[in-house]
Amino acid sequence: MKHIFLFCAFGFAILLISFESSEFTYPNYFPKPVYNFSQNPLKKETIQLGRRLFYDPILSADSSISCASCHSQYNAFAHVDHDLSHGIYDRIGKRNAPALMNLAWQELFMWDGAINHLDMQALAPMTHPNEMDNSLENVISRLRNNSTYRHYFFSAFNDSSIKTEHVLKALSQFELTFISANSKYDSVKKGLVSFTEKEKKGYEVFLQNCNACHKEPLFSSYSFSNNGLPLDSTLLDYGRVSISLQSADSGYFKIPTLRNLRYSFPYMHDGRFKTLSKVIQHYTSGIDYSLNLPKELKKPIQLSSEQKVELMSFLFTLNDSSFVFNKQYSYLK
Amino acid sequence: MPFLMFLLYTEALYSQAFTVNIKPMYYGQIIQIDHPVIDSLQGEQVTFKECKFYLGKFTLHSKDTVLHFDRYQLIDIENANTTALSFPIPPSFYADSISFLLGIDSLTNINGIMDGDLDPLNGMYWAWNSGYINMKIEGITPKCPGRNNLFQFHIGGYQAPYQTAQKISFALKKSQSIEIQMNVQNVLEKVHLSKEYQIMSPGKKAKEMSESMSTMFSILQ
């Protein structure tokens, strides 16, 4: 009897997940990833190499900061408690370092979508003067002069020559494994637990008011929009328009996921809100209606104080502690 | 189509080659880095400091055969190895026409990281706004008001409506070897260096310059 139960449980678990490889599984209610794994097939050794690189300050000009400096695991790979992220020499950038998760479902990266492929993403922070202030030439030559890295690259790619392509593909591989799909919401989706009454009501509020842009189950459509934030006159950041050069994109930023909000504060592209209640307050009473708003926001969102509490309790079900404490993502000793 | 596939497959076996020599010129003078050349209209001196560009997707047509070469090559006129291109052809193939791209097509631009001539290490990739630089022309001329009289054109951009890759085509007289001259004066005359001397991001100006770049080619065979 016990065996039959185990067998059924195993079969059930198989039904609930989809595979790209044994290193990349995701729930069956997730859409298909957009990342082209055939160009960069995941491999244990390559993921581990990416993990080493992600935590290694060798990538920054003075070897002081690593990717993890602004993308710490305990903050769902966002930058703890900084509105605008700081990089090398205490230089401050103009945006909030975004949380990193479920990257295989995203086509464009950065708040303005300036980066068109996950593999190209790491070039930007490595070379930006306010981030790692390094040059690609310097990164490659430092890695080539490091015999330990030559060994790791050989295990990963059967090639110890250390090419740009391999550095970036290894970083992508590690980051692709950042799958957050184990929150209470996910357990409810899998039929393992149920929402409380309050969470269920909050889910209704969410579906009516938020889901158009923060589309479940990833909790973002990963497109761009203007969410009515008044322009910060000290930053004058108009977002996507600077990349697309289309005036319709003025004030548009990439829609962030609502997963793991507990860990990834502060919120918005410039980190202007420290708390979730401030964010909800913005949507109900802070939107600047003179801006270039999408149709979803043109009609004011009205929520009673009870509904706000319910919405918050639903949003808490999107926190995934197993993601932020997953040892596979931590610093490799 | 099956015939074409066959040709692609056997490409490596051909011992004959179609050769293309690339020669950037300025008013009839061959451009060499750090060697001044003269604008024969106004007598002004220009010293080119950099001239790098991508050519790719070469297609050679003969009466009954089409040969397509998918790869991109980075031409750097400072490096003579890069200015002579060679394409394997079947015996007694003579091209009636040739076409190629100046710059990288949009699909390749969003394909992720690549090696060789497309490695960002070649300095022809924008890290902070993804995309290849199709062509870099830099130089010094007295009338240029930029710092140290330097003009810098880094032309790229693959997103509508500001795509900058340009398709170039020429009819040929049954050739197996050609020289492509690039008459850079066409580009610099059009832009008026006393006013416009720096274009280094995608957009309207880059697109306009890419259009004038498409007029600078001529063929000797």
Side-chain angles (χ1 to χ4, degrees):
Chain A
M1 189 60 197
K2 197 176 162 194
H3 285 103
I4 293 171
F5 173 77
L6 279 175
F7 183 76
C8 290
F10 181 70
F12 187 55
I14 289 284
L15 283 177
L16 287 173
I17 54 175
S18 301
F19 288 86
E20 201 64 50
S21 73
S22 56
E23 279 84 21
F24 190 89
T25 60
Y26 56 92
N28 63 353
Y29 50 86
F30 270 32
K32 276 241 157 238
V34 296
Y35 188 84
N36 184 353
F37 287 91
S38 69
Q39 287 182 350
N40 189 17
L42 297 189
K43 184 177 157 190
K44 217 161 99 196
E45 291 80 0
T46 318
I47 295 169
Q48 292 308 309
L49 169 61
R51 185 174 170 190
R52 280 183 200 283
L53 291 167
F54 189 87
Y55 283 98
D56 197 336
I58 196 172
L59 300 184
S60 61
D62 66 350
S63 295
S64 64
I65 61 168
S66 70
C67 305
S69 303
C70 293
H71 297 285
S72 81
Q73 184 185 355
Y74 301 124
N75 305 98
F77 297 103
H79 199 172
V80 62
D81 210 23
H82 282 274
D83 53 353
L84 305 175
S85 294
H86 68 85
I88 201 165
Y89 320 126
D90 290 337
R91 286 179 191 158
I92 293 181
K94 66 171 182 175
R95 295 191 182 131
N96 179 258
L100 307 180
M101 73 198 81
N102 302 336
L103 300 169
W105 287 268
Q106 304 178 35
E107 256 169 299
L108 298 173
F109 297 87
M110 301 293 190
W111 283 103
D112 54 13
I115 309 299
N116 67 19
H117 196 288
L118 180 62
D119 296 353
M120 308 318 269
Q121 212 285 331
L123 285 176
M126 274 192 235
T127 56
H128 196 285
N130 290 338
E131 299 196 34
M132 291 176 159
D133 195 28
N134 214 342
S135 68
L136 180 58
E137 292 77 1
N138 198 29
V139 168
I140 300 288
S141 86
R142 275 192 204 168
L143 292 171
R144 282 178 180 163
N145 288 329
N146 181 316
S147 59
T148 322
Y149 266 116
R150 285 201 300 273
H151 165 76
Y152 291 133
F153 274 86
F154 188 81
S155 322
F157 297 103
N158 283 327
D159 178 354
S160 59
S161 68
I162 311 192
K163 301 172 179 180
T164 314
E165 181 188 359
H166 292 158
V167 173
L168 296 179
K169 282 188 167 170
L171 279 165
S172 283
Q173 289 214 11
F174 177 52
E175 292 168 11
L176 284 163
T177 67
F178 297 174
I179 297 170
S180 180
N182 201 22
S183 63
K184 179 170 182 185
Y185 163 86
D186 296 292
S187 300
V188 173
K189 274 287 210 192
K190 291 168 192 166
L192 303 173
V193 294
S194 322
F195 284 136
T196 64
E197 269 313 298
K198 211 199 246 178
E199 289 163 354
K200 208 185 282 173
K201 286 181 182 164
Y203 186 34
E204 290 305 316
V205 175
F206 164 81
L207 288 174
Q208 272 182 25
N209 298 284
C210 321
N211 188 50
C213 296
H214 296 284
K215 199 168 175 302
E216 63 170 339
L218 297 167
F219 292 90
S220 174
S221 60
Y222 292 121
S223 55
F224 296 82
S225 197
N226 186 325
N227 66 346
L229 288 173
L231 183 74
D232 180 328
S233 61
T234 65
L235 294 171
L236 296 177
D237 186 357
Y238 295 91
R240 178 95 185 119
V241 63
S242 64
I243 300 302
S244 72
L245 308 174
Q246 306 294 306
S247 57
D249 290 336
S250 183
Y252 272 48
F253 290 89
K254 187 175 173 186
I255 297 167
T257 181
L258 303 183
R259 286 179 174 269
N260 293 313
L261 293 173
R262 176 180 169 190
Y263 311 105
S264 61
F265 60 91
Y267 310 107
M268 304 297 169
H269 64 274
D270 53 9
R272 71 176 69 180
F273 299 133
K274 276 195 169 172
T275 63
L276 213 43
S277 59
K278 286 246 165 66
V279 173
I280 294 177
Q281 196 185 328
H282 162 72
Y283 282 107
T284 54
S285 58
I287 288 180
D288 178 350
Y289 286 95
S290 71
L291 294 169
N292 174 25
L293 298 177
K295 64 177 190 314
E296 293 84 7
L297 283 182
K298 279 187 177 144
K299 199 172 137 249
I301 295 174
Q302 287 171 329
L303 300 179
S304 65
S305 47
E306 268 163 348
Q307 284 177 310
K308 286 183 189 173
V309 174
E310 289 157 1
L311 178 59
M312 294 265 259
S313 50
F314 169 70
L315 293 176
F316 290 146
T317 73
L318 304 179
N319 297 325
D320 178 358
S321 61
S322 73
F323 176 69
V324 297
F325 297 111
N326 186 338
K327 289 211 162 25
Q328 290 174 23
Y329 307 144
S330 61
Y331 176 70
L332 193 59
K333 287 176 190 108
Chain B
M1 195 58 194
F3 188 47
L4 182 64
M5 297 283 279
F6 175 72
L7 287 175
L8 288 171
Y9 180 67
T10 56
E11 187 184 294
L13 301 175
Y14 298 145
S15 55
Q16 273 180 293
F18 185 93
T19 60
V20 177
N21 269 296
I22 312 286
K23 231 177 226 170
M25 316 277 283
Y26 191 68
Y27 291 102
Q29 304 148 82
I30 295 169
I31 296 177
Q32 287 176 284
I33 298 303
D34 289 334
H35 287 261
V37 280
I38 305 288
D39 164 351
S40 57
L41 292 182
Q42 292 165 10
E44 283 199 65
Q45 184 174 294
V46 177
T47 306
F48 287 90
K49 306 301 279 184
E50 182 140 60
C51 181
K52 284 165 84 174
F53 50 92
Y54 281 109
L55 297 182
K57 304 237 172 224
F58 276 83
T59 303
L60 297 169
H61 289 258
S62 74
K63 205 165 66 194
D64 49 11
T65 311
V66 180
L67 300 176
H68 183 69
F69 303 89
D70 213 36
R71 69 180 183 277
Y72 283 100
Q73 285 168 270
L74 177 59
I75 321 288
D76 177 353
I77 66 161
E78 236 180 329
N79 177 358
N81 293 332
T82 66
T83 58
L85 314 181
S86 165
F87 302 96
I89 52 173
S92 54
F93 175 91
Y94 292 91
D96 293 327
S97 70
I98 185 170
S99 68
F100 57 90
L101 279 186
L102 168 63
I104 310 291
D105 69 285
S106 296
L107 274 179
T108 305
N109 262 292
I110 59 170
N111 191 48
I113 184 68
M114 284 164 286
D115 194 22
D117 284 9
L118 294 174
D119 187 334
L121 205 52
N122 296 316
M124 296 291 280
Y125 192 85
W126 278 309
W128 200 249
N129 183 1
S130 296
Y132 283 94
I133 298 167
N134 294 334
M135 182 158 197
K136 272 188 183 177
I137 303 180
E138 294 186 11
I140 288 171
T141 190
K143 73 174 166 194
C144 173
R147 180 172 165 268
N148 296 333
N149 302 116
L150 184 69
F151 60 86
Q152 289 174 288
F153 300 111
H154 298 179
I155 301 304
Y158 66 92
Q159 298 196 72
Y162 301 120
Q163 300 99 323
T164 51
Q166 297 287 343
K167 187 174 177 179
I168 318 289
S169 310
F170 285 100
L172 302 176
K173 291 181 258 174
K174 293 201 179 302
S175 298
Q176 286 189 326
S177 174
I178 59 169
E179 183 175 297
I180 297 180
Q181 294 196 346
M182 296 169 66
N183 305 296
V184 176
Q185 73 272 11
N186 291 13
V187 179
L188 299 190
E189 269 172 15
K190 187 113 190 239
V191 77
H192 300 295
L193 287 175
S194 55
K195 292 188 204 105
E196 191 72 76
Y197 50 90
Q198 275 170 200
I199 303 176
M200 285 181 285
S201 57
K204 190 165 175 278
K205 285 180 183 174
K207 185 174 170 72
E208 282 167 5
M209 182 164 267
S210 76
E211 284 161 359
S212 73
M213 284 172 169
S214 75
T215 70
M216 68 182 165
F217 294 88
S218 59
I219 297 262
L220 286 184
Q221 51 184 325

